Amino acid sequence: MTMAAGAYGVAVLARTQDQAADATVRFGQRLAQRIFGVRAEGEAIPEPLAGVIDDPDDPAALRQAIRKALAADAELAAQVQRWVQDAHSTWARVLTSGERSPAVYANHGIIATGDGHTFPQ
């Protein structure tokens, strides 16, 4: 949800979807919308979500709000658990080893892992 908040900012609860959105961001957006409800773009969002948009390095209040919502609603908890299980079954695993080895799923550009590289334009 933190990644979705960072990617979409205050529009994270808007119903619109960016087709190019990364699966992790989209999962976080779905979770945010399910827990906090869908909001029109520009409409006020709950404080825990606003806090993580302002400071993504401090998601404690958001985590607490998620835990509270899941504990209060068994149906929601079961649905989120199914989403997580479904997501795990479709995730790719990327392994890397060695100093400066990049770990990427798909790359469409240059990966430079050493120092002092120059690349022709």
Side-chain angles (χ1 to χ4, degrees), residues 90-120:
T90 60
W91 287 352
R93 300 207 190 290
V94 178
L95 301 175
T96 186
S97 65
E99 185 177 338
R100 296 188 183 192
S101 296
V104 296
Y105 175 71
N107 177 47
H108 303 286
I110 297 170
I111 297 177
T113 61
D115 296 327
H117 289 286
T118 58
F119 302 97

Side-chain angles (χ1 to χ4, degrees), residues 37-52:
V38 175
R39 310 282 169 93
E41 200 162 340
E43 191 176 343
I45 61 173
E47 182 57 39
L49 200 50
V52 82

Side-chain angles (χ1 to χ4, degrees), residues 59-85:
L62 179 60
R63 286 183 181 150
Q64 184 177 3
I66 293 169
R67 280 189 205 106
K68 185 177 178 181
L70 295 176
D73 186 340
E75 183 180 324
L76 172 63
Q79 182 180 37
V80 170
Q81 185 175 15
R82 285 190 303 274
W83 288 353
V84 170
Q85 289 169 344

